[in-house]
Amino acid sequence: MTRSRGLNPRRGLRGSVVDRFWRQVDTSGGTDACWPWLGAVSGPGYGVLADDGGRVVGAHRVALQIKLGRPLAPRMCACHDCPGGDDRGCVNPRHLFEGTRGDNNRDAVAKRRALVAA
Ligand SMILES: [Zn+2]
């Protein structure tokens, strides 16, 4: 028995989508830096990859699922909260949180206001 073979040591999702994810992330900036996505990018600037079923999924959503250890709840978004300003290409799980589309929009509006006020 080779029980550990094929198991991903990282928590949460297992399987080839996780392997493909980590192969396309630049983590060289360190744990707190934004981690640029090196793979394919969609029109709006989000990283994308194919999941194990062949569907195209957002790389930042995969990052958040790895962090949560479960799929995102239905209709929930993977929202960015990057310390240096939100970066759609960032897939550092530490910079992502699960929120509704409304949360995400309110968050973006609040940040724009903060920028204008600064
Ligand atoms: Zn970031």
Side-chain angles (χ1 to χ4, degrees), residues 15-26 37-39 49:
S16 56
V17 65
V18 178
D19 293 336
R20 281 199 301 281
F21 173 82
W22 288 115
R23 279 202 299 269
Q24 299 179 85
V25 181
D26 176 4
W37 177 249
L38 304 174
L49 72 164

Side-chain angles (χ1 to χ4, degrees), residues 1-2 5-6 22 33 38 40 42 52 55-56 68 78 82 87 90 98 111-112 118:
M1 276 291 279
T2 51
R5 247 183 69 187
W22 288 115
L38 304 174
S42 71
D52 292 334
R55 289 176 302 258
V56 174
L68 297 173
C82 297
D87 176 356
C90 170
E98 187 180 43
K111 279 172 184 158
R112 273 198 295 274

Side-chain angles (χ1 to χ4, degrees), residues 97-118:
F97 67 96
E98 187 180 43
T100 64
R101 210 166 283 279
D103 287 342
N104 204 9
N105 290 341
R106 273 192 297 279
D107 185 55
V109 168
K111 279 172 184 158
R112 273 198 295 274
R113 279 207 198 101
L115 279 180
V116 168

Side-chain angles (χ1 to χ4, degrees), residues 33-35 80 82-83 87 90 92 95:
C34 283
W35 291 353
H80 281 93
C82 297
D87 176 356
C90 170
N92 185 339
H95 294 178

